[in-house]
Amino acid sequence: MRHVLAAALALAAASSPAVAAPTYRLASELVLPGTSPGWDYLTYEAKRGYLFLGRRKAGVSVVDTHTNKMVATIENSAGANVALPVPELDRGYTANEDGSTTVFQLSTLKTLARVSLGEAADAVFFDPASRQLVYTFGDTKELIFVDPKTNKVSARLAMPAEELEGVAMAGDGTLWVNERDITKIAHVDNRTHKVIGEYDLPGCTMPTGLGIDAAGKRLFVGCKGDKPVLAVVDATDGHVVQTVEIGRGNDGVAFDPATRRIFTANGIDGNVVVVEQVDVDHYKFASAFTTRPIARTLAYDPASRRIFTMTAQGMVDPAKARNLRAGSFYPNSYYDNSFSLLTYGEQ
C-alpha cells in the first residue's frame, strides 16, 4: 500500500504544471550627463512615480518613471549619497558626504534648507512609528536621530561598527542595521535610542544590503563576502533561518510581499538574483537576470513590478588608488556622460 501511495504522489507531482521562473528584461535605459559620475542609492516614490538618484557630486537627480525623463535636480544637494522621500511629511531628505542633509519639499522639489549634522552622512531613513529621521554616520560610528519638525538632532547613538550599512524599519519603533565590518546585525529602539540586541550572522560575511518582511518578522541580509549569500534572519531572536547563494558585490535588497520575492542587486557579477519565499522559514532560488557591472543598488515599484538600478562605464587606472576590498578590478574612475538608469520589467 505504501508503494502504491508513493507512486500516486510521484505521478501527481509529475503531472502538475511546473511553476514558471520569473523573468525580467531591460525595459528602458536613461543616460544622464555628468563628468566622472559617482552614485550610491536610489529611492522610489509611488504617488508621482518619481525616482530619486543619489549621484554624489552631481547631487540628486529626479526622474519621472512614467516618461523616463529627468525632471529636476535638487538644488544644493551636491554630495548626496541618497535622497529619501517622506510623502506623509511632504518632505525629502538627503544624506550628504560632508555630514549635512538637504531638506526639500516633495510636492515642489524646492530646497528648503541644508543642515549640518556631523562629519560624513552615509544614508537616511524615516521611522513612522517614532516619527524620526535616522542617519547613519560610519566615520564617527553613530546613528543620528533628527526631529523632522525642527530638523534638529534629538539624539546620537554610538555604535560598535564603523561600516553601518543597510537599515530596515520594523514598524514597531525599532530598526535593524547591518554592521558590515564586524559581521553583526544590531536591533535599535528608536524611542530610547539604545541598542537592544546585537547578533552574529553565521554563514554571512560583510552584511550590506537589507530588506524586511515586517509581517513575517524576517530580515533579508545581503552578504557580500567571499561566499555571497542572502541570509534570512528571524527578527524575533536574531538567528539565521537559512542562506541562499546570490551574486558578488551586493548592496541592494528589496522584498515584495505580494509575490513573496526577494531581489538582490549584485554589482560585481552584474546581475539581480531573485529568491522566492516559500514560507517564512523556507526560501529557494527563483531566477536571475543580468544587469551591468557595478549596478549594485536597486529600487522596486510593487505596483508595476519594475526594478530600477544604475551604473556607469568605468575603468581601473593603475596610477590611482584601488578598492581591492571591493574587488581586484573594481573601477576607480568612470567615463564622462556614461551614467545610466536601467529599468527592468517582468515578462
Side-chain angles (χ1 to χ4, degrees):
M1 183 67 181
R2 186 180 304 169
H3 297 298
V4 173
L5 177 60
L9 291 173
L11 179 61
S15 60
S16 61
V19 177
T23 58
Y24 299 84
R25 294 189 65 177
L26 182 66
S28 66
E29 176 181 4
L30 176 63
V31 179
L32 298 179
T35 59
S36 185
W39 69 95
D40 211 342
Y41 298 100
L42 67 169
T43 51
Y44 180 71
E45 196 267 304
K47 181 178 180 180
R48 299 167 183 83
Y50 282 178
L51 275 174
F52 295 84
L53 316 180
R55 297 181 62 194
R56 293 184 171 161
K57 71 177 183 180
V60 176
S61 297
V62 185
V63 173
D64 185 334
T65 63
H66 301 304
T67 62
N68 200 38
K69 294 181 179 179
M70 192 173 89
V71 295
T73 296
I74 301 299
E75 183 182 358
N76 201 12
S77 64
N81 288 317
V82 66
L84 173 72
V86 186
E88 64 188 86
L89 302 178
D90 191 26
R91 293 289 184 271
Y93 303 88
T94 71
N96 303 328
E97 292 179 303
D98 66 357
S100 68
T101 182
T102 301
V103 184
F104 59 95
Q105 187 171 29
L106 195 57
S107 55
T108 65
L109 304 179
K110 300 297 184 183
T111 293
L112 303 174
R114 182 161 175 149
V115 182
S116 180
L117 302 175
E119 293 183 14
D122 299 314
V124 56
F125 306 87
F126 179 67
D127 176 26
S130 66
R131 300 191 71 78
Q132 293 178 94
L133 297 161
V134 186
Y135 293 78
T136 53
F137 277 69
D139 288 357
T140 53
K141 301 171 68 171
E142 61 183 336
L143 298 178
I144 294 181
F145 297 83
V146 171
D147 182 349
K149 293 181 180 178
T150 62
N151 296 329
K152 292 183 178 180
V153 174
S154 53
R156 296 176 184 268
L157 174 60
M159 298 295 291
E162 183 175 349
E163 296 179 359
L164 300 170
E165 292 293 334
V167 170
M169 296 297 169
D172 59 359
T174 68
L175 66 79
W176 294 82
V177 56
N178 285 334
E179 300 176 305
R180 186 169 67 182
D181 52 324
I182 60 174
T183 308
K184 293 177 182 288
I185 190 168
H187 194 194
V188 173
D189 188 318
N190 298 329
R191 294 187 175 95
T192 63
H193 309 117
K194 293 181 179 179
V195 176
I196 54 177
E198 191 177 47
Y199 306 93
D200 293 323
L201 296 169
C204 165
T205 55
M206 297 180 67
T208 304
L210 183 60
I212 187 169
D213 173 5
K217 298 188 182 302
R218 293 294 181 267
L219 302 162
F220 307 118
V221 181
C223 310
K224 65 188 301 180
D226 293 338
K227 295 181 178 179
V229 296
L230 179 77
V232 180
V233 176
D234 188 325
T236 64
D237 61 13
H239 85 273
V240 174
V241 174
Q242 185 182 340
T243 61
V244 180
E245 183 182 4
I246 60 172
R248 295 175 299 162
N250 172 262
D251 267 10
V253 176
F255 172 64
D256 181 2
T259 61
R260 299 200 300 185
R261 294 171 186 164
I262 304 111
F263 303 93
T264 69
N266 313 301
I268 300 286
D269 284 342
N271 64 22
V272 169
V273 173
V274 186
V275 175
E276 179 186 343
Q277 182 187 62
V278 179
D279 57 46
V280 294
D281 289 329
H282 299 90
Y283 299 80
K284 66 179 183 180
F285 167 69
S287 70
F289 61 93
T290 57
T291 56
R292 291 183 190 169
I294 321 303
R296 62 187 186 270
T297 56
L298 82 165
Y300 183 71
D301 172 18
S304 66
R305 297 183 182 175
R306 289 177 298 173
I307 299 165
F308 308 98
T309 187
M310 51 190 180
T311 189
Q313 296 181 51
M315 67 166 291
V316 183
D317 184 346
K320 297 180 179 179
R322 294 166 62 188
N323 185 356
L324 297 178
R325 192 175 183 214
S328 298
F329 303 105
Y330 197 89
N332 57 10
S333 61
Y334 293 90
Y335 298 121
D336 296 349
N337 304 314
S338 69
F339 179 81
S340 296
L341 170 67
L342 307 172
T343 301
Y344 293 87
E346 188 175 14
Q347 301 299 297

